[in-house]
Amino acid sequence: MHALDLIIVAAFLIGMPLLGVLFGGRQRSSKDYFVSDKPMSWWVVCLSVVSAETSALTVISVPTVAYLGTFTFLQLAIGYLLGRIVVAFVLLPKYMSGNLVTAYAYLGKRFGSKLQSTASVTFLFTRLLADGLRLFATAIPIKVLLAAYDINAPYWAICLVTGIGMLVFSYVGGVRAVVWVDAVQLGVYVIGGIAVIAVLAGKLPDGWLGQAFDAGKFQILDFGADILTSPYAIITAILGGAVLSMASHGSDQLIVQRLMSCKDLKDSRKALIGSGVIVFFQFGLFLLIGVMIWALFKGATPASMGMAASDELFPHVIINVLPPGVSGFMLAAILAAAMSSSLNALASSTVTDVIQKVSKRTFTDAEILRQGKIWTVVWAGLLIGFASLFTSKNNPIVEQGLSITGYTYGALLGSFLLGLIFKKARQSDALVAFVVTVLGMAAIILTVKFPVGAKELALAYPWYPPLGVLITLVVGGLMSLRHSTNAPETVEAELPAK
């Protein structure tokens, strides 16, 4: 490693939190802290959404997906775009029409505070696990970098430093800081990806592109894979990806919070749908990097090159193949991507959907703001702690991250759809359906196997959200038949006039 690379990395570690503080400014109310009193430009929110959902996992793991396989990962991006379109016209109007701070506040209006709190706690737990994995993913290339200097840094120490940087701008700058930092870091690692392609193109022999085509590396659509066990079978990827995107962008506070910071519904729709287009090209960029690395190493397995995990592949290239400056820039991009903060979303959901609902007293706005900042710190500590639960594995870490949400995404999205489709559904129906879905998905994910050749494989992770939605709608829909009249449009309609 060159000294220039270390200078660039250090500058990013210091610069990203400072940039967030600069853009965030001072928050004068809880609403400003959680969803911004000053509407954000739709294009900034669009970039933030892309960064929040992909970040370091994309940079590190998507090239590995192409190295070990083909371009079939892009089928998921097609599904992601379709799912976003549905959310933009079905769920976004519900969020933008009311003075809501979280996505789960809509469930509170439709069903009641018990379901609102249940959905929020589920989001908090799932996001903690998923973002703990993201933080761990970032520690992989840093550990490889430090090892080049004979420094054996533990993962917890790496996660601690990165987590503190993320905490600084989230605590001081609120959601505006989070959105702006996300937008900047997306530009950084996309530019870095383009620079990597330029460098690798100069190192590859003539004819590498034809060899990659002959090997089928650029195959996008897969009609032959088993639709139950392969995440990249065309039906599995597109349908599952669409429902997964509906869940992540329609029922996950991490994304919905960003969309609600836009000026109006029109801007939110542009940000959401535009993010789907960018994700498609972003995936394509890093898949191309994976194919180029495959050509550079002539398809050698990561293990044969002395790597403990396949996700060390791209960090290995960054450190050992790229020239000084470009190497440091890409490492800094991965670090910056790790600072795509979910802390503000976790804090907003905790205070709005849980604390305020279970408390028997009314909070002032100043108290809500103070609670929001306290919980931002608490969640930072929990996130750093949970990151240590993950260890290196040979399957790409991005696939692990996507499968974690399978336990709960179906129940979350299903609850929103239950309220929209079944007019008779009450809170008790939704609560039972929610619990049955989470338990049912846990049983399916952990126990159901399908014989494929000589192996038994689990259900492909893109099927988790559609199956969870189906269970929620069937159970909740059947239970709603008990009622002879439609439920009131909002819970408040059931309350007597003061």
Side-chain angles (χ1 to χ4, degrees):
M1 289 293 296
H2 195 276
L4 176 61
D5 296 324
L6 295 178
I7 293 172
I8 293 173
V9 170
F12 267 80
L13 279 173
I14 298 172
M16 282 295 106
L18 292 179
L19 184 67
V21 172
L22 176 64
F23 278 122
R26 183 182 178 185
Q27 287 70 53
R28 302 183 184 278
S29 68
S30 60
K31 181 182 178 183
D32 194 26
Y33 187 67
F34 292 140
V35 294
S36 181
D37 278 338
K38 301 176 183 177
M40 305 287 294
S41 299
W42 73 266
W43 62 269
V44 177
V45 174
C46 176
L47 297 179
S48 175
V49 167
V50 176
S51 181
E53 66 179 307
T54 53
S55 79
L57 293 181
T58 300
V59 180
I60 294 172
S61 197
V62 171
T64 303
V65 172
Y67 187 96
L68 300 177
T70 65
F71 260 50
T72 51
F73 191 80
L74 272 183
Q75 296 171 117
L76 283 170
I78 297 173
Y80 289 172
L81 179 57
L82 296 176
R84 281 167 165 82
I85 294 173
V86 175
V87 171
F89 290 94
V90 175
L91 291 178
L92 267 185
K94 299 294 183 181
Y95 301 147
M96 301 299 291
S97 62
N99 189 26
L100 306 182
V101 174
T102 73
Y104 314 114
Y106 168 73
L107 291 179
K109 292 183 67 176
R110 171 61 179 86
F111 290 112
S113 60
K114 291 182 180 178
L115 183 62
Q116 179 180 350
S117 297
T118 300
S120 178
V121 169
T122 302
F123 154 73
L124 296 174
F125 180 73
T126 304
R127 182 50 54 193
L128 185 62
L129 291 178
D131 283 2
L133 180 57
R134 281 172 52 148
L135 195 56
F136 168 75
T138 308
I140 294 174
I142 302 175
K143 191 173 180 67
V144 173
L145 166 64
L146 295 176
Y149 290 91
D150 295 323
I151 301 174
N152 185 23
Y155 282 119
W156 69 264
I158 299 172
C159 293
L160 177 63
V161 173
T162 308
I164 290 174
M166 181 170 56
L167 171 63
V168 169
F169 68 83
S170 299
Y171 181 90
V172 177
V175 70
R176 278 197 302 275
V178 171
V179 170
W180 272 106
V181 169
D182 280 353
V184 171
Q185 69 195 20
L186 174 66
V188 168
Y189 62 73
V190 168
I191 293 172
I194 295 172
V196 171
I197 289 176
V199 171
L200 293 178
K203 294 180 177 294
L204 293 175
D206 294 338
W208 73 269
L209 190 60
Q211 292 174 1
F213 270 106
D214 292 340
K217 302 299 288 184
F218 291 104
Q219 176 189 357
I220 296 178
L221 303 179
D222 190 344
F223 295 94
D226 184 83
I227 64 172
L228 292 178
T229 59
S230 173
Y232 307 129
I234 184 169
I235 296 177
T236 307
I238 293 180
L239 178 59
V243 180
L244 174 61
S245 185
M246 289 173 62
S248 62
H249 291 66
S251 64
D252 191 323
Q253 175 66 5
L254 177 69
I255 303 297
V256 175
Q257 181 192 39
R258 287 158 167 79
L259 296 174
M260 289 196 294
S261 68
C262 287
K263 178 179 65 175
D264 51 30
L265 177 60
K266 181 180 178 181
D267 274 9
S268 292
R269 281 174 172 164
K270 287 193 291 186
L272 181 55
I273 296 174
S275 71
V277 176
I278 294 176
V279 161
F280 182 88
F281 288 103
Q282 182 194 36
F283 282 177
L285 176 72
F286 285 97
L287 287 169
L288 177 59
I289 290 175
V291 172
M292 296 179 80
I293 297 174
W294 172 86
L296 182 68
F297 293 151
K298 303 184 182 344
T301 63
S304 68
M305 293 184 284
M307 300 176 196
S310 59
D311 279 304
E312 292 181 8
L313 183 68
F314 191 36
H316 173 82
V317 171
I318 292 173
I319 293 171
N320 297 293
V321 177
L322 300 182
V326 177
S327 178
F329 191 84
M330 278 307 303
L331 280 169
I334 294 174
L335 288 173
M339 295 179 186
S340 178
S341 176
S342 62
L343 299 179
N344 194 268
L346 289 165
S348 66
S349 191
T350 302
V351 176
T352 303
D353 301 319
V354 180
I355 292 179
Q356 285 187 272
K357 293 302 177 183
V358 301
S359 177
K360 295 184 178 180
R361 69 182 184 87
T362 301
F363 288 82
T364 65
D365 186 74
E367 288 176 318
I368 296 172
L369 178 59
R370 184 168 61 252
Q371 285 285 332
K373 294 203 169 190
I374 290 173
W375 278 99
T376 298
V377 177
V378 171
W379 281 113
L382 292 173
L383 186 61
I384 293 169
F386 264 74
S388 64
L389 296 180
F390 298 97
T391 57
S392 296
K393 293 185 179 180
N394 287 326
N395 58 308
I397 205 167
V398 68
E399 295 182 0
Q400 300 175 43
L402 290 173
S403 64
I404 285 176
T405 58
Y407 291 86
T408 58
Y409 264 0
L412 287 170
L413 177 60
S415 297
F416 285 90
L417 296 180
L418 180 68
L420 293 173
I421 297 172
F422 293 93
K423 302 302 182 182
K424 294 181 180 180
R426 305 293 206 273
Q427 180 167 240
S428 59
D429 308 327
L431 281 170
V432 171
F434 193 98
V435 173
V436 169
T437 301
V438 173
L439 295 178
M441 289 308 304
I444 291 170
I445 293 171
L446 296 174
T447 64
V448 174
K449 304 291 182 182
F450 298 93
V452 179
K455 300 180 179 180
E456 286 193 344
L457 301 178
L459 183 69
Y461 65 83
W463 283 121
Y464 298 163
L467 187 55
V469 169
L470 179 63
I471 295 173
T472 304
L473 292 180
V474 170
V475 174
L478 289 176
M479 291 194 65
S480 72
L481 297 178
R482 301 175 301 156
H483 313 298
S484 58
T485 60
N486 289 348
E489 192 166 322
T490 64
V491 172
E492 284 83 353
E494 294 181 305
L495 302 177
K498 292 183 179 180

